């Protein structure tokens, strides 16, 4: 996978974590995000923050890894 594709993946994950995973989208049970509410047996709000944090952290890791690839190449 090229560094450009990793940059796009990282930016997409960061966007999803910040703008797409809103409480309104997350708590609407008719939407596709219903499976995310059942990740752990803990309350829904914990699952919401867990998923949001994981999306943002994974996006930052992918973005920083691609920047490192650009710099060292």
């Amino acid at each position: 996978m090229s560094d450009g594709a990793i940059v796009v993946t990282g930016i997409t994950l960061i966007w999803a974590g910040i703008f797409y995973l809103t409480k309104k989208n997350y708590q609407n049970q008719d939407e596709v995000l219903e499976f995310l509410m059942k990740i752990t047996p803990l309350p829904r709000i914990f699952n919401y923050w867990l998923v949001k944090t994981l999306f943002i952290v994974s996006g930052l890791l992918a973005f920083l890894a691609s920047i490192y690839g650009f710099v060292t190449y």
Side-chain angles (χ1 to χ4, degrees):
M1 184 181 259
S2 69
D3 288 337
I6 297 173
V7 168
V8 171
T9 302
I11 291 173
T12 303
L13 286 171
I14 293 170
W15 170 83
I18 294 173
F19 298 111
Y20 184 69
L21 284 175
T22 61
K23 286 184 184 178
K24 179 183 174 188
N25 285 345
Y26 193 76
Q27 292 178 348
N28 189 357
Q29 294 181 5
D30 296 334
E31 294 292 323
V32 180
L33 299 175
E34 183 177 352
F35 73 95
L36 292 175
M37 291 183 274
K38 300 176 183 176
I39 289 178
T40 65
L42 297 170
R44 294 168 100 185
I45 192 69
F46 179 81
N47 289 342
Y48 166 74
W49 284 108
L50 176 69
V51 169
K52 190 170 186 81
T53 303
L54 289 176
F55 266 74
I56 292 172
V57 168
S58 62
L60 286 173
L61 285 174
F63 184 72
L64 293 175
S66 63
I67 296 299
Y68 178 76
F70 282 136
V71 171
T72 58
Y73 184 68

